[in-house]
Every structure is written in structure tokens, then in C-alpha cells.
């Protein structure tokens, strides 16, 4: 072992002696070491020695007669770094343009240096001792995560449309606000500050000084207004204020015209679907500066939604369809222009009302725009302002409490309606609410119809809400994800259970107003006849939704249950009548077309879905049994729906009506084709 170490030591000394001789100067000049030529790409890939024979090729490439290429990897790295620098500079320029767009003044200073150049310079004001830098982190504190709740002691004299009452003004003393130290979107890293600490937040006083210094004393009011919700959690200012343009899509009409439109809306639409309180809506029109409402997105959107629906209900004949339809869309675009502020700003009751009005407008205009996102936003805001909770101990007046209940139940009914129509999940679960139903006898008598015996009244709006609760159970037990792939016997039992609940709801209605599948009774001569028509159509639609799962099996249902060893646990016999119940409900829905409001295109757009679904149900019945004795009558009903939809064609093309006409033609074509094929088989 010792000998090996001695040999290694002697070798090392010889190597050092040889290297010193190589570096020894000769004739007063230091001999420079020549750099050998790097291996070509072929030799590098094959991992062989690259022997240069000529200036252009090495020995291997010459023998193989292939090109001898040598790539300069150092040059490639330089080009890659240059491209990265160019890309970063382009990103910085886009960031500067965005800052200038939201109000920052990023102009060049006296020396001509840009904002990006100033970031690379050393910040003298931020260079401090490590002890002082440690104080920056200590002063940061923790963000106040306390949620905003509806105060029980709110002032009744204040605006009752806003659930938040007067909140304290931010403190005038310069005190560091409580912030979240690890909030990434507001954190300034160390590479921008040239300080030994890990950085600081722009929400702190040091961050404010740093931004002001970097911007050469320019104003940062826009940034302060954006961060005001975080700095002072009890401030009423909207966090998205001043980030959107302050110009409407279309100017508002004169004040006198606005009042007329609002009155038309209240008489022809709000009396059927009480979204707004008449007193609050009229007081909104008394503002001296109506264009100034743009600073309050929820109220601005509510007013424009009312104007849009007001123009829609004015359409009585085709001579004024073009003008009023265009005007209604202009004001709806005004409301949609602040949709982001409605969905992500400070929530209030005006916001819920505006979004509900948008959904009804899209339904009424037969628009193909999806409403699932809007109803999800509505239910989320309802949770924030606690509309789904009971008002035990509230000091609000009875009218205000009833109005808040109505708003929630309108949103609830829309949620269940959209879920059954489109198949989207429910936004509001019944387990997460305990709000009471609307009053049976409201103080303003909205939604009530007198009975024949004059001993009581029937509240159609409350009955619609009760039916919506059953629709929620229908979706939960038959169409939700958890209801999929269940045994057939369980599905049949669920159909029987839901059918019993639906019949109990029907029996709770006065006999003269009950939906009857065989003989539709004449509706009263009252504006509320539209609500009663909606109630009947919605009942038949719910009946079809319950029974169509078992109706598709037809006569095979009994055999399928026996094959699954369920002969001793058969459901109620009504399950075996599902096909006939669906057919009768579809027939009754189409027979109700005669009661459609011919002069109100907005209400027709809401109700036309039910006859279309009835046509689809009848077409499916004919395809399953094209030899049924009622097939000719059912085809005539499908053609009746097609004729009614074609009568809705306006002066200008309407994609919604064109789509409905296409669906009706398809349903009729499928039914006629099935009957024609069955007839040919019988003749053959």
C-alpha cells in the first residue's frame, strides 16, 4: 500500500515538472496552447475520434463521402439567450401597455429611461439594513378573513334594496392595513428591490412608497381604488370600480319615455313575475342623473333590463316589431356590458334582480344563449346575501321580507326549470335552504285569483313554487349522477313515489284551477291567466319528466321486472301506465296552445318550450308504435305546433324561431316516416 502511494506521488511530481517545462518561456515569448478543432457532428454522434485531413472534412467523413458539419453550440446558446431577452422585453412592453390602460403614467423620465429600465436600477430608498428590512415583514400582519354578514340592526330609512347598511369609512391615519404576506399577486420579489429580504407586498406602506418611487411620483389612485376592498374590508366601494369603461352601449331614452316603459313593464310583466318592487323601481327613475347610474352596476343593469323587457311587451303586431326589438336588444347590451361587475362585484339585491331579468329576456327572445352560468351566479349571490335562510328575528318590514322571499323563489324556480330542460346540475340544493314559501294571501295580492265560491283565493305564484320543489326531487332522484345505473325496480318505485307527490300537489289546488289532461277548462279573463297557463303546462311537463324513463320500455316493463326477480316487489300499477300518461300529458299541452297570449312575444318565448317537448313526446310514441289507432290525431297535433311556431316569424330572421321550426319539422317527419313504413309492411 505504501509503495503504491509513493509511485502516485512520484507520478504527480513528474507531471508538475513536465507542465512547468511546457509553460517555460522560450526566447522571451510565452508559448500559447493551441485549441484543437472540435469533433464534427457525425463523429460526436458515433463517439469516435475526429481526425482532420482537410480543412473541410475529417478522415471518417471523407471515407464515407458524407458532409462534415460542425455546429457551434456556443453560438446557439447565444441566440437562445437573445431570443429569451427579446421575449421578456415584449412581455414587459405588454405589461406597461396594460398598466397605462388602467391609469398608470409610465411615460419616460428626463433621461429617457423607460419603466422597465427603472426597475433594473438600484432603488436607493429601499436599500436599508437587514434589521430594517426585517421590520417590513413584521409589519405585514395577516389578512382579515372575516366574512361580511348582513347586519340585523340595519337602518330602515336607508335603501332597503342593499343588504349592507352604512359601513364605517376607512381610517384617516396612516396605518399599515392587515394583509396576507403570501398573497402572490401583490408580492414584489427581491430581484426587483435589490434588498437582502425576500420582498414585500404592494399592499403595505413600503410597497406603496416603492411603486410611487418607481413611477417618479405619478398618481396611483386607480391602484388604491382596486385594492380598497382588501385594505379596508368594510368599505362600500366596489373592487372592480374604474376598471371598466364609463360609457354605455346605447344612451338612455328621455326621462318621460323611461317612466312609460317602466309602467308598461310593471303592468304586463312584473304583475306576473314580481322581480322588482314597484316603489323602488319608480324611485330609481326619479334620479336626476340617470346616466350616473353606470357607477352603480347593479342598478344600471336593473334599469336597462326593465327597459329591454318594456320594449318587448310593447310588441303587439308585426308593424313595429323591427324597431322595438332592436331597441330592446340595445338596452339589454347595456346591462350585459356590466355583467362581469355583477358576477364578481359586491353583491346586493339589485344584482339578483338584474340577472333574473336577463334570464327571462333570453327566454322571451328565444335566444340560444346559455342561461346556466347566469342562474349559477344568481344562486351564488343569493347565498352571499342569505336569501335562502329564514328571516327569524329580522327587523325588516313585512313587505320587504315578502319581496326577498319572492326573489329567492323566482331564482329557485328558474334553477329547476333550466335543470330539467338542459340537464345541468342543480345550483341550489334543498338541504341548504330553510326559507319560507311566499305568503298565501300577500298584502299586494300579486299572483292571487278569486275562487268561484268567493270564499277564498288561489295563489298561483305560491303553487308554482311548490311545483318547483317537486321538480327538484324529480331531477335528484331520476336525472342526477347519483340516480344513474340504479336497478329497474328502484327506478319504478321512485317513479311511483314522485307521481304520488305530484298528484297530492294537484289535489291541493281548487278544482276549478286544477290542470286536467282530458278537458282543458277555460281560463279566467284576467292578466293572471298567463300564470295559470304556465302552471298547467309546467304540471304536464313534470308528469312527462317523471314517467318517460319507464315509458320508453313500453310493454317490456313487466317482463323486465320479472327477469330481475322482482315479481314479489312490483311497484304501483300506475308505473305500467307511464306511456299512456306521457301521451295524454303531451296531448293536453298542445291543446293549451289556444290560450297562448298572442300579443306578448316575450311570454310566448317562455311558454313555447312545453308544446315543443309535447311534439317530441308524441313523435317518440308514434315511432315506438306506428300502428296505434291515435297516430293520425297525434300527427295533426304535431303539425298544429309547427303551424303555431311558423306564425311567430317576425320581419327579421330569428335564429331561435328557425331552430324551433326545424325541430318541429323533424318530429313530424319521423312520425310520418314511421307510419308510412308500417303501412307499406301491412300492405305487403
Amino acid at each position: 500500500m505504501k509503495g503504491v502511494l509513493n509511485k502516485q506521488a512520484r507520478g504527480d511530481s513528474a507531471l508538475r515538472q513536465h507542465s512547468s517545462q511546457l509553460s517555460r518561456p522560450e526566447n522571451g515569448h510565452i508559448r500559447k496552447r493551441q485549441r484543437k478543432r472540435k469533433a464534427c457532428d457525425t463523429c460526436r454522434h458515433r463517439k469516435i475520434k475526429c481526425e482532420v485531413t482537410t480543412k473541410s472534412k475529417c478522415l471518417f467523413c471523407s471515407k464515407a463521402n458524407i458532409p462534415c458539419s460542425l455546429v457551434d453550440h456556443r453560438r446557439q446558446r447565444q441566440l437562445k439567450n437573445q431570443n429569451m431577452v427579446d421575449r421578456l422585453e415584449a412581455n414587459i412592453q405588454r405589461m406597461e401597455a396594460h398598466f397605462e390602460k388602467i391609469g398608470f403614467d409610465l411615460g419616460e423620465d428626463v433621461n429617457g429611461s423607460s419603466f422597465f429600465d427603472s426597475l433594473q436600477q438600484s432603488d436607493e430608498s429601499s436599500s436599508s439594513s437587514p434589521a430594517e428590512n426585517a421590520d417590513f415583514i413584521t409589519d405585514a400582519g395577516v389578512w382579515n378573513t372575516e366574512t361580511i354578514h348582513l347586519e340585523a340592526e340595519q337602518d330602515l330609512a336607508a335603501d332597503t334594496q342593499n343588504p349592507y347598511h352604512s359601513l364605517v369609512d376607512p381610517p384617516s391615519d396612516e396605518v399599515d392595513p392587515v394583509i396576507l404576506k403570501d398573497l402572490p399577486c401583490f408580492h414584489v420579489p427581491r430581484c426587483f428591490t435589490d434588498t437582502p429580504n425576500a420582498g414585500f407586498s404592494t399592499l403595505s406602506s413600503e410597497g406603496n412608497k416603492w411603486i410611487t418611487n418607481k413611477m417618479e411620483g405619478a398618481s396611483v389612485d386607480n391602484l388604491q381604488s382596486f385594492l380598497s376592498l382588501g385594505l379596508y374590508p368594510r368599505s362600500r366601494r366596489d373592487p372592480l370600480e374604474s376598471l371598466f369603461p364609463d360609457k354605455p352601449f346605447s344612451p338612455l331614452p328621455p326621462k318621460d319615455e323611461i317612466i312609460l316603459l317602466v309602467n308598461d313593464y310593471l303592468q304586463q310583466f312584473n304583475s306576473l313575475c314580481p322581480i322588482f318592487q314597484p316603489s323602488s323601481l319608480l324611485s330609481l327613475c326619479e334620479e336626476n342623473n340617470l346616466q350616473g347610474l353606470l357607477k352603480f352596476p347593479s342598478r344600471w343593469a336593473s334599469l336597462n333590463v326593465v327597459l329591454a323587457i318594456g320594449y318587448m311587451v310593447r310588441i303587439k303586431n308585426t308593424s313595429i316589431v323591427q324597431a322595438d326589438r332592436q331597441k330592446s336588444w340595445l338596452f339589454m347590451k347595456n346591462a350585459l356590458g356590466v355583467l362581469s361587475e355583477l358576477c364578481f362585484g359586491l353583491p346586493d339585491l339589485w344584482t339578483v334582480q338584474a340577472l333574473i331579468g336577463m334570464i327571462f329576456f333570453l327566454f322571451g327572445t328565444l335566444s340560444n344563449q346559455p342561461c346556466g352560468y347566469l342562474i349559477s351566479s344568481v344562486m351564488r349571490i343569493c347565498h352571499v346575501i342569505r336569501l335562502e335562510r329564514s328571516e327569524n328575528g329580522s327587523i325588516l318590514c313585512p313587505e320587504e321580507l315578502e319581496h326577498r322571499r319572492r326573489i329567492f323563489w323566482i331564482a329557485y324556480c328558474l334553477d329547476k326549470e333550466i335543470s330539467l330542460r338542459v340537464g345541468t346540475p342543480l345550483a341550489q340544493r334543498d338541504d341548504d335552504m330553510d326559507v319560507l314559501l311566499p305568503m298565501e294571501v300577500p298584502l299586494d295580492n300579486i299572483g292571487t285569483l278569486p275562487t268561484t265560491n268567493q270564499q277564498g283565493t288561489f295563489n298561483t305564484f305560491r303553487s308554482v313554487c311548490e311545483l318547483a320543489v317537486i321538480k327538484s326531487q324529480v331531477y335528484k332522484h331520476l336525472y342526477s349522477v347519483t340516480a344513474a345505473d340504479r336497478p329497474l325496480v328502484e327506478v319504478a318505485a321512485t317513479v311511483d313515489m314522485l307521481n304520488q307527490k305530484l298528484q297530492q300537489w294537484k289535489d291541493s289546488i281548487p278544482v276549478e284551477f286544477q290542470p286536467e289532461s282530458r278537458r282543458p277548462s277555460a281560463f279566467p279573463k284576467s292578466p293572471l291567466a298567463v300564470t295559470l297557463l304556465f302552471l298547467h303546462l309546467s304540471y304536464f311537463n313534470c308528469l312527462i319528466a317523471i314517467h318517460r324513463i319507464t315509458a320508453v320500455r313500453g310493454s317490456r316493463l313487466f317482463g323486465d321486472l320479472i327477469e330481475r326477480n322482482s315479481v314479489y316487489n312490483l311497484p304501483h300499477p300506475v308505473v305500467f301506465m307511464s306511456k299512456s300518461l306521457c301521451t295524454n300529458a303531451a296531448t293536453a299541452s298542445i291543446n293549451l296552445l289556444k290560450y297562448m297570449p298572442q300579443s306578448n312575444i316575450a311570454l310566448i318565448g317562455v311558454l313555447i318550450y312545453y308544446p315543443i317537448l309535447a311534439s317530441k313526446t308524441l313523435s317518440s310514441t308514434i315511432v315506438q308504435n306506428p300502428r296505434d289507432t291515435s297516430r293520425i290525431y297525434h300527427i295533426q297535433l304535431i303539425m298544429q305546433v309547427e303551424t303555431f311556431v311558423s306564425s311567430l316569424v317576425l320581419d327579421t330572421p330569428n335564429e331561435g324561431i328557425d331552430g324551433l321550426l326545424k325541430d318541429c319539422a323533424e318530429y313530424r317527419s319521423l312520425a310520418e316516416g314511421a307510419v308510412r313504413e308500417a303501412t307499406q309492411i301491412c300492405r305487403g
Side-chain angles (χ1 to χ4, degrees):
M1 185 67 181
K2 184 176 181 181
V4 175
L5 294 178
N6 292 334
K7 290 181 181 181
Q8 184 177 0
R10 288 195 298 269
D12 293 342
S13 62
L15 180 61
R16 287 193 297 270
Q17 181 180 2
H18 178 68
S19 61
S20 63
Q21 292 177 0
L22 291 177
S23 62
R24 187 175 301 165
E26 297 179 359
N27 299 327
H29 298 283
I30 299 177
R31 184 172 57 184
K32 295 183 178 179
R33 184 179 180 181
Q34 295 182 354
R35 177 175 296 177
K36 293 183 179 181
R37 179 183 181 270
K38 293 184 177 181
C40 66
D41 295 341
T42 304
C43 295
R44 183 189 297 271
H45 179 70
R46 297 176 63 89
K47 297 181 180 180
I48 61 177
K49 184 178 181 180
C50 184
E51 299 179 359
V52 180
T53 57
T54 62
K55 291 184 178 181
S56 59
K57 288 188 176 183
C58 66
L59 181 60
F60 178 81
C61 294
S62 299
K63 291 181 179 181
N65 195 17
I66 59 176
C68 184
S69 59
L70 178 63
V71 177
D72 191 352
H73 296 279
R74 180 179 299 178
R75 178 60 178 170
Q76 283 187 341
R77 287 194 297 269
Q78 291 177 354
L79 293 176
K80 182 178 179 180
N81 294 337
Q82 184 62 35
N83 292 334
M84 184 181 299
V85 171
D86 294 341
R87 185 166 64 253
L88 290 175
E89 289 180 352
N91 293 337
I92 293 297
Q93 290 177 1
R94 287 197 298 267
M95 182 179 67
E96 289 180 354
H98 178 68
F99 281 163
E100 291 178 354
K101 183 178 179 181
I102 64 176
F104 283 93
D105 186 10
L106 302 181
E108 296 184 353
D109 56 12
V110 294
N111 297 326
S113 60
S114 63
F115 176 67
F116 176 66
D117 297 332
S118 63
L119 287 178
Q120 296 177 340
Q121 299 175 358
S122 176
D123 187 4
E124 298 179 357
S125 62
S126 63
S127 60
S128 56
S129 63
E132 294 176 352
N133 292 327
D135 294 337
F136 295 164
I137 304 177
T138 306
D139 294 338
V142 181
W143 186 275
N144 185 8
T145 58
E146 180 182 0
T147 56
I148 301 177
H149 296 286
L150 177 64
E151 302 289 344
E153 299 81 13
Q154 52 186 326
D155 188 5
L156 291 178
D159 184 13
T160 57
Q161 292 289 335
N162 193 337
Y164 305 113
H165 38 102
S166 298
L167 303 177
V168 297
D169 294 330
S172 59
D173 298 333
E174 185 178 356
V175 180
D176 279 349
V178 285
I179 60 174
L180 187 65
K181 291 186 293 185
D182 58 347
L183 196 63
C185 55
F186 298 129
H187 184 74
V188 179
R190 181 176 58 185
C191 60
F192 281 178
T193 61
D194 295 331
T195 56
N197 66 324
F200 49 82
S201 173
T202 56
L203 299 178
S204 63
S205 59
E206 294 299 329
N208 192 4
K209 293 177 182 178
W210 180 80
I211 293 176
T212 304
N213 180 268
K214 290 298 182 181
M215 296 181 62
E216 299 296 336
S219 175
V220 291
D221 294 338
N222 288 317
L223 180 63
Q224 293 295 338
S225 64
F226 177 75
L227 302 178
S228 60
L229 183 63
L231 292 173
Y232 307 105
R234 298 187 65 82
S235 174
R236 293 188 63 175
R237 182 177 296 184
D238 197 304
L240 302 181
E241 185 178 349
S242 75
L243 293 184
F244 294 88
D246 294 336
K247 294 182 180 180
F249 184 85
S250 175
L252 296 179
K255 188 174 181 179
D256 296 339
E257 180 69 12
I258 291 177
I259 295 178
L260 292 177
L261 287 169
V262 170
N263 287 327
D264 291 343
Y265 166 83
L266 292 175
Q267 295 175 6
Q268 302 186 42
F269 192 87
N270 202 74
S271 59
L272 305 176
C273 183
I275 302 176
F276 295 92
Q277 276 187 314
S279 58
S280 300
L281 194 57
L282 292 174
S283 63
L284 189 65
C285 301
E286 297 297 331
E287 296 285 344
N288 295 328
N289 183 17
L290 292 175
Q291 294 289 349
L293 290 177
L294 189 57
K295 297 180 180 179
F296 307 94
S298 58
R299 302 190 183 195
W300 169 260
S302 298
L303 179 60
N304 281 275
V305 165
V306 169
L307 297 181
I309 299 179
Y311 274 113
M312 287 296 297
V313 298
R314 281 187 175 184
I315 298 177
K316 303 297 182 183
N317 53 65
T318 57
S319 61
I320 59 174
V321 165
Q322 178 71 10
D324 285 346
R325 187 169 180 269
Q326 288 183 351
K327 291 178 182 179
S328 65
W329 270 109
L330 288 177
F331 294 117
M332 182 53 59
K333 289 181 179 179
N334 277 352
L336 293 173
V338 295
L339 181 60
S340 298
E341 296 186 82
L342 296 179
C343 295
F344 302 107
L346 291 178
D348 58 4
L349 200 58
W350 287 105
T351 301
V352 179
Q353 295 172 131
L355 293 176
I356 291 177
M358 292 179 185
I359 296 175
F360 274 109
F361 180 86
L362 295 177
F363 276 159
T365 55
L366 300 174
S367 175
N368 293 327
Q369 300 297 328
C371 298
Y373 172 74
L374 291 179
I375 193 61
S376 298
S377 300
V378 168
M379 302 312 302
R380 177 181 57 83
I381 298 174
C382 287
H383 282 293
V384 175
I385 60 178
R386 300 180 65 82
L387 289 184
E388 85 285 359
R389 308 297 295 178
S390 60
E391 305 86 0
N392 296 330
S394 176
I395 61 174
L396 295 177
C397 60
E399 292 82 1
E400 181 63 23
L401 290 176
E402 179 66 13
H403 178 63
R404 290 172 63 86
R405 282 196 292 264
R406 285 174 176 173
I407 292 300
F408 174 79
W409 281 107
I410 291 175
Y412 181 91
C413 294
L414 286 175
D415 179 29
K416 314 314 170 191
E417 186 70 22
I418 294 174
S419 295
L420 285 182
R421 288 190 181 190
V422 186
T424 57
L426 299 175
Q428 172 64 53
R429 297 188 304 175
D430 295 345
D431 298 336
D432 298 332
M433 51 178 280
D434 62 353
V435 63
L436 301 177
L437 286 168
M439 298 174 60
E440 293 187 5
V441 184
L443 300 177
D444 52 8
N445 292 324
I446 290 182
T448 58
L449 285 173
T451 56
T452 304
N453 54 17
Q454 302 296 329
Q455 295 181 358
T457 58
F458 171 58
N459 192 330
T460 57
F461 180 70
R462 180 186 172 95
S463 184
V464 169
C465 298
E466 293 173 346
L467 182 59
V469 176
I470 300 178
K471 289 183 178 181
S472 176
Q473 298 178 10
V474 171
Y475 180 86
K476 177 181 178 181
H477 295 293
L478 294 180
Y479 298 99
S480 63
V481 177
T482 57
D485 299 331
R486 290 193 305 167
L488 180 60
V489 63
E490 294 185 10
V491 174
T494 303
V495 170
D496 179 26
M497 180 266 296
L498 294 173
N499 181 79
Q500 292 180 9
K501 289 188 176 182
L502 186 62
Q503 297 308 311
Q504 291 175 1
W505 169 86
K506 177 183 175 182
D507 295 338
S508 65
I509 300 176
V511 178
E512 56 189 302
F513 298 129
Q514 286 184 5
E516 180 61 41
S517 59
R518 297 181 180 179
R519 181 184 55 83
S521 58
F523 290 95
K525 301 297 182 180
S526 170
L528 288 179
V530 178
T531 307
L532 192 60
L533 176 63
F534 173 78
L535 186 67
H536 287 203
L537 290 172
S538 187
Y539 162 77
F540 293 128
N541 176 51
C542 186
L543 188 63
I544 294 175
I546 292 175
H547 286 278
R548 65 184 173 192
I549 292 184
T550 52
V552 295
R553 297 182 179 270
S555 59
R556 303 191 310 271
L557 178 61
F558 187 80
D560 293 342
L561 289 174
I562 293 178
E563 289 180 2
R564 288 163 175 76
N565 299 323
S566 303
V567 66
Y568 299 107
N569 193 20
L570 291 178
H572 193 274
V574 72
V575 176
F576 302 101
M577 302 170 56
S578 294
K579 184 177 180 180
S580 61
L581 289 175
C582 289
T583 303
N584 294 336
T587 303
S589 297
I590 297 177
N591 287 331
L592 291 175
L593 279 175
K594 64 182 74 173
Y595 301 108
M596 281 281 187
Q598 299 293 335
S599 61
N600 197 327
I601 187 65
L603 296 178
I604 292 177
V606 177
L607 301 175
I608 194 60
Y609 164 79
Y610 301 107
I612 298 297
L613 179 64
S615 299
K616 181 179 179 180
T617 303
L618 292 181
S619 177
S620 176
T621 302
I622 295 175
V623 170
Q624 290 181 4
N625 186 12
R627 301 179 183 179
D628 188 81
T629 55
S630 303
R631 60 186 183 278
I632 304 301
Y633 174 62
H634 291 162
I635 292 179
Q636 292 177 353
L637 291 178
I638 297 175
M639 296 176 62
Q640 181 180 347
V641 177
E642 187 177 4
T643 303
F644 180 82
V645 175
S646 61
S647 67
L648 301 177
V649 177
L650 308 178
D651 297 344
T652 57
N654 189 303
E655 295 181 0
I657 295 179
D658 294 340
L660 295 180
L661 282 174
K662 183 178 179 180
D663 293 339
C664 292
E666 182 179 0
Y667 301 150
R668 175 179 51 82
S669 177
L670 290 175
E672 291 177 346
V675 172
R676 189 182 307 110
E677 183 179 356
T679 303
Q680 293 176 356
I681 293 176
C682 292
R683 291 178 179 177

